[in-house]
Amino acid sequence: NQALGGNAGTGGNTAGGGLDCDSAQVTIERTQFLANTSIGGNSTAGGQAVPGAGGGLYLWTHLAGTPAATLKNVVIADNLADQGALGTRSGGNGEGGGLVVKGLTANIYHATLAYNRLGDGMVIAQALAVQKYSTTAGIVNLYDSLVTHHTGADAGAVAVVVDSGNTLNFTRGIFFGNNYDTNQWPTDNYPVPHGTINLTNFHYSTDSLYPRY
């Protein structure tokens, strides 16, 4: 599947190549999100080509009474978030080649996030981005899961990015074969200041380019 931003003086935004879920309670079980793309729109007048977000999934809310998302036994792999090709490319502003969680709580069990990608020059969250919507924080509780082989077109691209004011609780997990695992370690506050990242009963593989010891 493919989500495409509209072409205009400044290209249009796009989110959720496989699934874009806005302000709804969502439960997903035994599902694969494979080879989806989210590509921002082109500029028709030499303006900015906008980056896409959430190549696989984009889960967010803009309403009060924040809903929750539950994902169980999912594979999120080989998805892509990219910018429009025509116009001024904004570099590192696209995010979430695999998954974006914005302004809600997501409880994720037995997930594999693998081989998700960002376009050239984009560095924010090849696998997972956790972000606020307005003042409402994003919270991801991730259990018994694997984040692997996020190497990307840009050597500085980070697999998991938790923005300041947001939280990731990752329990019984593995990072394996990524350029950089998170924006807390080993890239403290790169490419953006990190929020709270709690890792419990965790394994870092030395096969990551910059493993944590």
Side-chain angles (χ1 to χ4, degrees):
N1 300 295
Q2 191 172 73
L4 295 173
N7 299 329
T10 296
N13 292 311
T14 185
L19 174 67
D20 179 11
C21 185
D22 175 9
S23 305
Q25 193 88 9
V26 59
T27 300
I28 300 170
E29 296 190 44
R30 297 183 181 275
T31 303
Q32 299 180 18
F33 294 86
L34 306 177
N36 303 288
T37 58
S38 176
I39 303 177
N42 298 322
S43 170
T44 58
Q48 189 176 76
V50 173
L57 300 88
Y58 195 93
L59 307 177
W60 67 295
T61 185
H62 67 278
L63 300 177
T66 306
T70 301
L71 284 68
K72 297 181 179 180
N73 299 301
V74 296
V75 177
I76 302 170
D78 197 29
N79 301 289
L80 170 68
D82 201 358
Q83 297 183 1
L86 302 177
T88 303
R89 292 172 64 87
S90 59
N93 293 329
E95 68 263 340
L99 168 64
V100 174
V101 174
K102 189 166 187 172
L104 55 77
T105 296
N107 299 303
I108 305 173
Y109 306 86
H110 301 286
T112 297
L113 289 87
Y115 294 97
N116 299 291
R117 296 167 291 129
L118 299 170
D120 291 346
M122 298 166 62
V123 295
I124 301 177
Q126 295 180 85
L128 168 65
V130 187
Q131 303 174 331
K132 289 181 179 179
Y133 182 85
S134 185
T135 60
T136 304
I139 301 172
V140 172
N141 300 309
L142 182 59
Y143 303 93
D144 302 296
S145 295
L146 172 65
V147 180
T148 182
H149 286 96
H150 295 98
T151 54
D154 192 297
V158 178
V160 175
V161 171
V162 181
D163 285 6
S164 178
N166 302 278
T167 300
L168 169 67
N169 300 308
F170 197 172
T171 303
R172 297 182 302 275
I174 296 175
F175 283 123
F176 182 89
N178 306 299
N179 279 350
Y180 297 96
D181 293 329
T182 75
N183 61 321
Q184 176 174 274
W185 181 271
T187 62
D188 196 24
N189 292 322
Y190 174 84
V192 294
H194 67 77
T196 300
I197 301 176
N198 298 314
L199 306 175
T200 305
N201 296 332
F202 210 82
H203 177 69
Y204 294 86
S205 169
T206 55
D207 282 20
S208 288
L209 182 59
Y210 297 96
R212 179 174 179 174
Y213 295 100

